[in-house]
């Protein structure tokens, strides 16, 4: 009877050791997924911010919208990201300013690498004409409100 009890106590240790590998795999996969989502959200927001910055500069004289958007994208892309490697930035200007980040997110498990690509674009705006249009719309709304 004592031999059976000793055998059962030892089997619990073996089962726990076998299960611990699966538990750790799930925990690390969840952490990797969270870091992947964090990096993707941050880079998407940075791409939109750089695109807006560049599009606002395009209407002004003596301003280079491409260089402004590129500098802003590089500044926002240089913050610390967990596991992000080979980060590159592409900027294009025209009717819209478009910023694209691309890179690879390496994993600690087996050399797995996920490709990450985020982009943001924004129409070129002229702040002076936009404010004038808003003022005209405001005056029109006041005229209609009096009647």
């Amino acid at each position: 009877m004592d031999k059976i009890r000793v055998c059962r106590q030892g089997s619990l240790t073996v089962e726990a050791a076998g299960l611990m590998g699966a538990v750790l795999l799930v925990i690390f996969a969840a952490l990797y997924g969270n870091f992947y989502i964090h990096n993707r959200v941050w880079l998407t927001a940075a791409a939109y911010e750089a695109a807006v910055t560049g599009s606002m500069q395009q209407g002004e004289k003596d301003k280079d919208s491409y260089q402004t958007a590129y500098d802003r994208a590089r500044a926002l892309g240089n913050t610390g990201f967990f596991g992000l490697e080979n980060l590159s930035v592409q900027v294009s200007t025209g009717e819209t300013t478009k910023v694209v980040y691309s890179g690879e997110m390496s994993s600690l498990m087996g050399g797995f690498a996920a490709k990450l690509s985020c982009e943001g674009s924004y129409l070129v705006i002229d702040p002076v004409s936009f404010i004038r249009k808003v003022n005209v719309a405001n005056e029109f709304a006041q005229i209609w409100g009096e009647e």
Side-chain angles (χ1 to χ4, degrees):
M1 189 73 170
D2 289 333
K3 289 182 182 181
I4 295 174
R5 186 174 300 162
V6 170
C7 239
R8 286 184 182 169
Q9 289 175 350
S11 68
L12 181 63
T13 304
V14 171
E15 290 170 3
L19 186 63
M20 191 56 73
V23 169
L24 287 175
L25 180 67
V26 169
I27 289 172
F28 285 125
L31 283 173
Y32 179 77
N34 286 335
F35 284 122
Y36 179 82
I37 291 171
H38 170 267
N39 291 346
R40 185 171 180 86
V41 168
W42 179 264
L43 286 175
T44 301
Y48 276 107
E49 184 177 335
V52 168
T53 303
S55 69
M56 290 177 66
Q57 295 295 324
Q58 194 158 352
E60 297 182 21
K61 295 178 183 175
D62 300 331
K63 298 280 185 167
D64 186 12
S65 64
Y66 174 83
Q67 191 62 40
T68 303
Y70 184 78
D71 290 343
R72 187 67 180 153
R74 292 298 294 175
L76 292 171
N78 283 336
T79 59
F81 296 107
F82 178 76
L84 194 60
E85 298 173 348
N86 303 327
L87 183 65
S88 64
V89 177
Q90 297 173 351
V91 176
S92 62
T93 57
E95 289 185 16
T96 62
T97 301
K98 185 176 181 180
V99 178
V100 178
Y101 285 104
S102 59
E104 294 178 351
M105 193 165 163
S106 62
S107 172
L108 299 175
M109 300 177 286
F112 171 73
K115 294 188 187 284
L116 183 64
S117 178
C118 303
E119 69 178 57
S121 61
Y122 198 77
L123 289 173
V124 174
I125 58 172
D126 182 15
V128 174
S129 66
F130 179 75
I131 291 171
R132 287 181 183 156
K133 289 177 185 177
V134 168
N135 287 338
V136 168
N138 189 19
E139 290 174 7
F140 185 70
Q142 288 177 356
I143 291 171
W144 271 84
E146 292 176 0
E147 292 180 10

